[in-house]
Structure formats: C-alpha cells, structure tokens
Amino acid sequence: MSDCIFCKIAQGEIKSYVVKESSNFIAVLDIHPHTPGHTLVIPKEHFVNLKELKLELAEEFIKIIQEVMVLLGKVFMTTDFTLGINEGPLAGQAVSHLHFHIMPRFKNDHGGSIHSIVYNPPQESLEEIYQKIKNES
Ligand code: 5GP
Ligand code: ZN
C-alpha cells in the first residue's frame, strides 16, 4: 500500500534499524521503544492484521520471532519477553499493517503482564459464554 509506513519500511523507503530479515519479514527497532530492544516483526506484504496473514507464512513468522528473541536475549542478557499484537484499533493498533511486538523484560522494570492491559470482566457466567461460543462453532 502506497501510504503505509510499514510497507515503506519493508521496501527500504523509510530508514529503520533492521535487526533481522527473512524472505517475507523484516524485524526493526520500534521508533518509540517501551523497553531496551523493543522490536517489531513486520511482514513485507501488506496484511492489516493477523487474521489476514497467509497461513503459508505462519512458520516463517514464528521462526523470525524466535530468532529475534534469541538475539535480543543475548544482547540484553534476558530470557523473558512480553510478546504480542494489538489486533484492531480497540486493542490499540495504531498502524494498520500487521506487526508483532517483542519487548525484552527485566527484573524491576516496573512493567506488568498481559493481564494489566485491560480489566473488563464479563457480566455473564463462564457457562453462558461457553454456550454462546459452542452454538457458533
Ligand atoms: P501499534 O500500536 O500499532 O501496535 O504499534 C505501532 C508501533 O509502531 C508503535 O510502537 C510505534 O512506536 C511504532 N512506529 C510507528 N511509526 C514507526 C516508524 O516509522 N518506524 C518504526 N521503527 N516504528 C514505528
Ligand atoms: Zn503496509
């Protein structure tokens, strides 16, 4: 897509710090890092979100994520990471081109877990929710 910043990064039209690259993905340092080494893994082809990603790219996607984790783990001497995708604007997705955040975590870094992102517990019981899901699947 012509006006997509991550397409431009993938095509080398916008300068970025490339941590790793594979045939179909590029891993770059986030421009506003939330942790030392905060990296984004971006498919070179424009997919808006994970739901759109071609399944044949899934293994390569996981592989480069693992490789970046190994690399950052060595550089920053950590084994722990927060990993994830803000899938859609309500979840905080600001750039409409799929990207996977890799954030190295450290002792006393004052961060939380995924549970700290949102607390919006359901009014319905787990049984009611489960039945809705079962009726749909
Ligand atoms: P989102 O909220 O969509 O999951 O995250 C978008 C991320 O892209 C943010 O963490 C933001 O700092 C990063 N970002 C936005 N523009 C650029 C850019 O031009 N270059 C790089 N390297 N990262 C960017
Ligand atoms: Zn794009």
Side-chain angles (χ1 to χ4, degrees), residues 112-125:
S113 72
I114 281 177
H115 301 95
S116 62
I117 293 170
V118 65
Y119 187 68
N120 177 28
Q123 302 296 316
E124 299 159 290
S125 68

Side-chain angles (χ1 to χ4, degrees), residues 29-67:
L29 292 179
D30 193 294
I31 203 165
H32 299 303
H34 277 241
T35 67
H38 181 178
T39 295
L40 303 173
V41 178
I42 300 169
K44 292 179 182 174
E45 187 177 339
H46 184 90
F47 303 106
V48 171
N49 52 36
L50 187 66
K51 213 173 68 183
E52 282 195 357
L53 181 72
K54 285 182 192 147
L55 268 184
E56 61 259 36
L57 297 180
E59 188 174 344
E60 186 184 333
F61 191 33
I62 297 294
K63 185 165 184 277
I64 188 170
I65 290 166
Q66 289 180 336
E67 288 170 354

Side-chain angles (χ1 to χ4, degrees), residues 84-118:
I85 294 170
N86 294 319
E87 178 94 351
L90 298 182
Q93 183 174 6
V95 179
S96 298
H97 178 136
L98 173 64
H99 51 284
F100 188 94
H101 293 262
I102 302 179
M103 298 180 184
R105 296 299 302 269
F106 303 94
K107 199 168 185 185
N108 302 322
D109 68 5
H110 306 295
S113 72
I114 281 177
H115 301 95
S116 62
I117 293 170
V118 65

Side-chain angles (χ1 to χ4, degrees), residues 122-135:
Q123 302 296 316
E124 299 159 290
S125 68
L126 287 188
E127 178 64 29
E128 287 169 315
I129 289 169
Y130 176 71
Q131 287 309 331
K132 276 189 187 173
I133 295 167
K134 290 306 284 180
N135 291 341

